[in-house]
C-alpha cells in the first residue's frame, strides 16, 4: 500500500494512505452527501490538504488542520473569504466546516482551477502580487463587524508571523529544530532579535488590518500577469506595514528575494496603498524578520554550505544590504 506522507502520519497517526483515503470518503459522504470520484492531489506544509473531484462533479479542497487549531479563528477566516468572494475577489468559497470529526478539525472549500503558476522574479508578476495583497486588505477593511471586532477572533498566525518574544517561535513543522543554534551562526539569533526590537519600537506606525498570512507566489495563480486565484487562506491581523513586509521577505516560491527585490516589492505595494515613511521602514524590518525566520529553517536542515539563493545564503552574504532598505 502507498505510504502516508510524514505530515499525514503526524496528523492521523497511521502509516498508509489507504486508511486516510477511506476516512476521507466517509467524511465526504456524511458531510457533503456524495462520494469521491478521485483524489486530484495531496499537499500541505502545515495542514493535510486534499484536492477532490466528487461524484456530483464538484471540485473541492478538504483540509485537515494540524492541532492545535482554533475553531473561532477558522470561522473568522471563512467569514473573510465570504466577504472577499462577494466583492469578486478570486478566493475559494467555504462549503463546510470547521467541524470536529474523530478528533480532527476539517474544513471544505471550493477548488480553484483557473490560472497557472507565475514567476515572481518577473516585475509584472511581482507587481500583481503586491497589488492583489493591497486589494484584499482594502476589501477586508469593510468586513461586517469591522477589523477591531474580528481581529481578536483570529489566532496568532503561523510561526513566521510570531516575531515577538524571540528570537524564535515554535517552528511550524516538526522537521525544524530551533532549540539550539549551531556554533558560528549566533549572528542569526542577533539579527532576528534586532528585527523584533525594531518592530516593537515601530508599533502602531500603520493601521491594523486583516490579510492572508502566507502571501507568496506558491499560493497564487496568474493569467496575463494578474492574480486570478489565491488559496491556502489563513487570515491574521497585524499592522499593515508588518504584513506587507512579511510578504516582501518571502514572496518568491523558489528562493529568498534579494535586497533589491524586497525593496521593489515594498515600492509596488506603496503605490497601491501608501505606507508613508515609518510604515515603509516597518515593512523593511518585517522583511528582515521573515528572511531570518526562513534562514533559521534552512539552518535546521543544513548539512554543508547554504544553498545559493536560500534565505540563509542571502543573509550570510547580504544581511547589511537588507538593513539599508528604506532607511
Amino acid at each position: 500500500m502507498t505510504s502516508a506522507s510524514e505530515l499525514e502520519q503526524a496528523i492521523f497517526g497511521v502509516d498508509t494512505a489507504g486508511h486516510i483515503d477511506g476516512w476521507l470518503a466517509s467524511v465526504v459522504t456524511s458531510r457533503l452527501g456524495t462520494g469521491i470520484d478521485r483524489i486530484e492531489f495531496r499537499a500541505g506544509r502545515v495542514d493535510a490538504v486534499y484536492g477532490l473531484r466528487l461524484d456530483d462533479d464538484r471540485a473541492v479542497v478538504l483540509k485537515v488542520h494540524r492541532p492545535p487549531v482554533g475553531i473561532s479563528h477558522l470561522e473568522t477566516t471563512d467569514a473573510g473569504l465570504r466577504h472577499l468572494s462577494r466583492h469578486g475577489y478570486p478566493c475559494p468559497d467555504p462549503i463546510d466546516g470547521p467541524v470536529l470529526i474523530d478528533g480532527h478539525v476539517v474544513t471544505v472549500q471550493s477548488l480553484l482551477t483557473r490560472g497557472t503558476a507565475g514567476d515572481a522574479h518577473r516585475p509584472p508578476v511581482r507587481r500583481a502580487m503586491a497589488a492583489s495583497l493591497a486589494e484584499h486588505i482594502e476589501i477586508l477593511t469593510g468586513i461586517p463587524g469591522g477589523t477591531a471586532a474580528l481581529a481578536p477572533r483570529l489566532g496568532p498566525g503561523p510561526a513566521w508571523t510570531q516575531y515577538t518574544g524571540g528570537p524564535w517561535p515554535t517552528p511550524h513543522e516538526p522537521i525544524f529544530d530551533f532549540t539550539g543554534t549551531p556554533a558560528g551562526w549566533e549572528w542569526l539569533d542577533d539579527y532576528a532579535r534586532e528585527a523584533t526590537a525594531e518592530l516593537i519600537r515601530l508599533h502602531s506606525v500603520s493601521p491594523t488590518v486583516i490579510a492572508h498570512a502566507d502571501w507568496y507566489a506558491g499560493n497564487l495563480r496568474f493569467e496575463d500577469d494578474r492574480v486570478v486565484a489565491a488559496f491556502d487562506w489563513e487570515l491574521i491581523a497585524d499592522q499593515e506595514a508588518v504584513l506587507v513586509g512579511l510578504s516582501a521577505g518571502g514572496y518568491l516560491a523558489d528562493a529568498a528575494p534579494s535586497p533589491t527585490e524586497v525593496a521593489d516589492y515594498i515600492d509596488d505595494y506603496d503605490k497601491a496603498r501608501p505606507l508613508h515613511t515609518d510604515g515603509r521602514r516597518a515593512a523593511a524590518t518585517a522583511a528582515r524578520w521573515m528572511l531570518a525566520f526562513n534562514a533559521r529553517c534552512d539552518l535546521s536542515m543544513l548539512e554543508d554550505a547554504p544553498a545559493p539563493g536560500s534565505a540563509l545564503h542571502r543573509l550570510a552574504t547580504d544581511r547589511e544590504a537588507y538593513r539599508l532598505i528604506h532607511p
Side-chain angles (χ1 to χ4, degrees), residues 126-192:
R126 187 197 67 233
R127 287 193 290 268
M129 288 184 63
S132 193
L133 174 61
E135 181 185 6
H136 82 248
I137 285 176
E138 176 66 30
I139 293 171
L140 288 170
T141 62
I143 194 169
T147 300
L150 293 183
R153 298 179 57 197
L154 294 170
W160 56 86
T161 70
Q162 298 175 31
Y163 51 86
T164 59
W168 308 116
T170 301
H172 55 297
E173 295 188 46
I175 61 171
F176 300 127
D177 181 4
F178 290 2
T179 57
T181 300
W185 296 95
E186 295 86 357
W187 61 264
L188 183 56
D189 293 347
D190 295 336
Y191 199 80

Side-chain angles (χ1 to χ4, degrees), residues 86-255:
R86 284 195 295 269
H87 285 77
Y89 194 82
C91 63
D93 291 313
I95 294 173
D96 190 51
V99 60
L100 185 65
I101 303 175
D102 299 329
H104 303 296
V105 176
V106 176
T107 54
V108 183
Q109 299 173 347
S110 60
L111 174 63
L112 304 179
T113 59
R114 185 178 174 187
T116 58
D119 179 4
H121 292 279
R122 294 181 55 243
V125 172
R126 187 197 67 233
R127 287 193 290 268
M129 288 184 63
S132 193
L133 174 61
E135 181 185 6
H136 82 248
I137 285 176
E138 176 66 30
I139 293 171
L140 288 170
T141 62
I143 194 169
T147 300
L150 293 183
R153 298 179 57 197
L154 294 170
W160 56 86
T161 70
Q162 298 175 31
Y163 51 86
T164 59
W168 308 116
T170 301
H172 55 297
E173 295 188 46
I175 61 171
F176 300 127
D177 181 4
F178 290 2
T179 57
T181 300
W185 296 95
E186 295 86 357
W187 61 264
L188 183 56
D189 293 347
D190 295 336
Y191 199 80
R193 286 192 190 96
E194 177 189 286
T196 290
E198 180 72 358
L199 287 174
I200 292 172
R201 188 183 71 79
L202 292 170
H203 182 66
S204 300
V205 299
S206 65
T208 295
V209 298
I210 296 173
H212 194 304
D214 194 13
W215 192 253
Y216 88 113
N219 282 335
L220 307 174
R221 294 295 179 265
F222 301 83
E223 282 181 3
D224 300 324
D225 295 329
R226 295 181 299 109
V227 174
V228 296
F231 43 86
D232 201 17
W233 287 80
E234 178 179 358
L235 292 179
I236 59 169
D238 206 326
Q239 285 192 72
E240 180 175 5
V242 169
L243 296 177
V244 172
L246 293 176
S247 179
Y251 72 92
L252 297 174
D254 61 348

Side-chain angles (χ1 to χ4, degrees), residues 123 126-128 130-131 263-273:
R126 187 197 67 233
R127 287 193 290 268
D264 287 344
Y265 187 98
I266 294 172
D267 287 343
D268 291 338
Y269 186 92
D270 188 57
K271 291 172 183 175
R273 273 179 61 94

Side-chain angles (χ1 to χ4, degrees), residues 295-312:
R296 189 63 186 82
C297 293
D298 294 339
L299 186 58
S300 292
M301 309 299 290
L302 185 66
E303 295 182 357
D304 190 10
S310 67
L312 189 59

Side-chain angles (χ1 to χ4, degrees), residues 276-322:
H276 309 297
T277 302
D278 282 345
R280 290 165 66 91
R281 184 175 293 112
T285 304
R288 293 203 306 274
W289 157 259
M290 186 67 182
L291 285 155
F293 177 89
N294 285 335
R296 189 63 186 82
C297 293
D298 294 339
L299 186 58
S300 292
M301 309 299 290
L302 185 66
E303 295 182 357
D304 190 10
S310 67
L312 189 59
H313 179 262
R314 289 285 195 195
L315 289 187
T317 57
D318 294 332
R319 57 185 177 274
E320 294 305 318
Y322 288 105

